[in-house]
Amino acid sequence: MYSFSATILKFGQQGEKTGWTYIIVPDSISKKLNPGIKKSYRVKGKLDDYIIEKVALVPMGGGGFILALNATMRKATGKRFGATLKVQLELDDSPILPPAELLACLQDEP
């Protein structure tokens, strides 16, 4: 698991990302998490003491990645734009399984 501190940032006018709250994952960390990968991938770990799983790192061009912070994450950490988080991340290669309800529907209506 890789640890670092990050400041919570927020996009102004940034196309589809306008208004997103996020942290920057340092290049040195993203290159160790999933070497050679330049597209989105999932990580798990902690934001302060809040446990995260199956969270996507989003590429920002030039090899950099961000981790978007949704409302649940912000509320759980109690932190907002400008605050610092203690971050611990590792690659999350666990499978994403479809909900049981979807599988049941597909059996009824293939």
Side-chain angles (χ1 to χ4, degrees), residues 14 26 43 68 90 93 102:
Q14 185 76 18
V43 294
E90 65 182 317
D93 56 5
L102 175 61

Side-chain angles (χ1 to χ4, degrees), residues 105-110:
C105 287
L106 292 174
Q107 287 178 350
D108 289 344
E109 196 66 40

Side-chain angles (χ1 to χ4, degrees), residues 43-93:
V43 294
K44 61 184 175 181
K46 287 185 177 182
L47 303 175
D48 286 344
D49 291 323
Y50 178 67
I51 296 172
I52 59 170
E53 295 177 320
K54 298 180 176 120
V55 176
L57 290 190
V58 179
M60 289 303 294
F65 286 87
I66 63 168
L67 188 150
L69 303 175
N70 63 30
T72 302
M73 294 173 183
R74 293 190 309 272
K75 288 177 186 174
T77 61
K79 295 188 176 173
R80 297 175 170 227
F81 170 73
T84 301
L85 286 173
K86 292 181 291 180
V87 182
Q88 297 176 34
L89 295 178
E90 65 182 317
L91 188 63
D92 188 347
D93 56 5

